Amino acid sequence: MEQGKHRKPPEYGAHQAPAHYEAGDGCLTTLVRVPVRIVVLLVVLPVRMVWDALVVTARAAERVLFRPLGRALAWLFDVLVAIPARWLWRYVCVPLGQALVWLARAVFVWPWVALWRHVVVPVVRYGIVMPLQWAYAHLLTPLGHGLRWLYREVLVPAARGLGAALKWLITVVLVMPVVLLWRYVLVPVGLAAAWLVRYLVVVPLVWTYRNVLTPVGHGIAWTLDLVIRGIEAFFRGLGVALRWLVVVLLVTPVVWVYRRVLTPAGREIAAALAIAWRVAGYLSRAVGRALAWLARNLIAAPVRWAYRTVCVPVGRFVRDALLAPVGRALRAVGRTARQTLRAARETVRRARRDAWRALVGAPAEPEPGEPGSPLARTLGSATTVPSAAPGPGFAPLPEKSAEQA
């Protein structure tokens, strides 16, 4: 199928070297590729046809079953749940909640507000705050002023004099002896002790550290450094040897197998699957079109012909010969029944009005010129004319309605 299609190796410059050279496909690869693709096509074709059939079935089921079912369920949910819940919320829960809020306010809020406004506030204001204000203004303020004058004019000068006396006494009795002892006794003794410690202890220790301990420590450190370097060189060589063994015995064969066996095999299998899937799709589409053509010519065309040739003329004949006269007769009967009911209602209304006038009498009609008399109306017009005679209070029945009644 793809004989002669060899990959061209990438071009590199003079200063670049290819990291990995991929040679073209040989005759053996080409000979193996065709049977592999044929076998993969035979394996994938049933799967692709089953997959296409499932897709078509799912789409048809979605269009025919799931969409109407979803709409019906949505309508049922709206009619059985949403609308009753909305009505219950609007006409039951909201008024009930408002009534409960009003009741809660009337029981829990308004009594406490009234108690606070009319009991607690006056009691606290006139029973506690105003007496405390009067006591603060007429008792505590003068007492505070007097205590402040006593503190400023008596206690502060007395405290200042007593503090000065105590300061002089402490200075003479305690501070002066301690200062003299520190300056003329302890300081000379401390200087002498420091000179002795420096020249008898510190100088010999420093000479010993510089001239004895430091060379010895340098020698020990140099010896340890040589030993550590030797150990590091030994383990470094051992690590290089182990790494070379791992690379030669393990990594190189695995890389060779991955590059020369697994990668071409995986690439060929993936390409074979892709090509087989596309070819199976073309075959499945051809089979589907053939089945659709057979269904259209063996089922849809006869059904369409029977609908157009038989059902449509029969339906039109039934509609024109049976349904239309029955509809006209039913409409005429309904119209007659409505007119009869209207005339009967008007007759009952007039009989009830006449019976009421016979029982209680008709009200006296004022003269046309008197105040308060209704303005007369001309026949067939809604315009009022003061000089015209007043018309009747109700319109007379038409002759046809009276005859039917």
Side-chain angles (χ1 to χ4, degrees):
M1 297 172 66
E2 296 182 357
Q3 293 183 3
K5 238 183 188 180
H6 302 290
R7 294 186 182 90
K8 184 179 179 181
E11 297 179 357
Y12 298 93
H15 62 281
Q16 295 179 354
H20 176 67
Y21 181 81
E22 294 184 0
D25 297 334
C27 298
L28 182 62
T29 305
T30 306
L31 292 176
V32 172
R33 182 182 298 165
V34 176
V36 168
R37 292 187 178 181
I38 293 173
V39 172
V40 172
L41 176 62
L42 295 178
V43 173
V44 172
L45 180 60
V47 178
R48 181 59 187 263
M49 295 185 68
V50 172
W51 174 260
D52 292 339
L54 291 176
V55 170
V56 173
T57 305
R59 291 178 180 176
E62 180 184 1
R63 293 179 180 178
V64 177
L65 180 61
F66 292 113
R67 288 183 182 177
L69 182 60
R71 293 173 182 174
L73 291 177
W75 180 80
L76 287 176
F77 179 79
D78 192 13
V79 171
L80 299 178
V81 178
I83 295 177
R86 193 182 302 117
W87 182 88
L88 182 65
W89 171 261
R90 183 177 298 174
Y91 297 104
V92 177
C93 295
V94 173
L96 182 62
Q98 293 177 354
L100 291 176
V101 169
W102 182 87
L103 182 61
R105 288 179 180 176
V107 173
F108 297 104
V109 178
W110 294 340
W112 294 102
V113 172
L115 181 64
W116 173 262
R117 289 181 180 177
H118 302 292
V119 177
V120 176
V121 173
V123 169
V124 171
R125 183 176 182 182
Y126 297 104
I128 299 176
V129 176
M130 293 184 68
L132 289 177
Q133 289 179 352
W134 181 86
Y136 176 79
H138 297 85
L139 296 178
L140 298 179
T141 301
L143 181 61
H145 290 171
L147 292 175
R148 184 178 62 181
W149 178 87
L150 180 64
Y151 171 76
R152 288 182 179 180
E153 301 297 334
V154 178
L155 295 178
V156 171
R160 286 178 181 176
L162 182 61
L166 290 175
K167 180 180 179 182
W168 179 83
L169 182 62
I170 291 172
T171 302
V172 172
V173 175
L174 296 178
V175 177
M176 293 290 293
V178 172
V179 171
L180 293 175
L181 178 64
W182 172 262
R183 185 177 296 174
Y184 297 105
V185 177
L186 296 179
V187 172
V189 173
L191 292 176
W195 184 85
L196 290 175
V197 169
R198 179 179 181 182
Y199 287 100
L200 295 178
V201 179
V202 176
V203 173
L205 290 177
V206 169
W207 183 86
T208 304
Y209 176 78
R210 289 180 179 177
N211 298 302
V212 178
L213 297 179
T214 300
V216 174
H218 287 173
I220 294 173
W222 180 76
T223 305
L224 292 176
D225 188 24
L226 289 179
V227 173
I228 292 172
R229 287 184 180 179
I231 295 173
E232 287 182 353
F234 173 74
F235 282 106
R236 188 181 296 113
L238 183 62
V240 170
L242 291 177
R243 184 176 62 182
W244 181 81
L245 288 176
V246 170
V247 169
V248 171
L249 299 179
L250 183 62
V251 177
T252 303
V254 171
V255 171
W256 184 86
V257 170
Y258 175 77
R259 289 180 179 178
R260 300 299 179 181
V261 179
L262 297 180
T263 300
R267 186 167 55 247
E268 293 299 330
I269 291 174
L273 286 175
I275 295 173
W277 186 261
R278 289 196 296 270
V279 174
Y282 295 147
L283 295 178
S284 176
R285 188 179 302 172
V287 172
R289 290 178 178 177
L291 293 177
W293 182 82
L294 289 176
R296 185 168 54 251
N297 290 297
L298 296 180
I299 299 175
V303 170
R304 190 185 301 112
W305 179 85
Y307 175 77
R308 291 179 179 178
T309 308
V310 179
C311 296
V312 172
V314 171
R316 290 178 180 176
F317 174 77
V318 171
R319 182 191 62 186
D320 297 336
L322 181 62
L323 297 180
V326 170
R328 286 194 294 270
L330 291 176
R331 285 193 293 273
V333 170
R335 193 181 303 111
T336 304
R338 286 195 298 272
Q339 292 177 358
T340 304
L341 291 175
R342 191 182 300 114
R345 283 197 299 269
E346 189 64 28
T347 303
V348 171
R349 191 180 297 113
R350 181 183 296 178
R352 184 177 58 195
R353 190 181 299 114
D354 293 341
W356 178 256
R357 288 181 179 178
L359 291 175
V360 300
E365 297 181 357
E367 296 295 332
E370 295 180 0
S373 62
L375 296 176
R377 294 178 297 175
T378 58
L379 295 177
S381 175
T383 306
T384 57
V385 181
S387 61
F394 60 93
L397 291 174
E399 295 180 359
K400 185 177 180 181
S401 300
E403 291 177 359
Q404 291 179 357

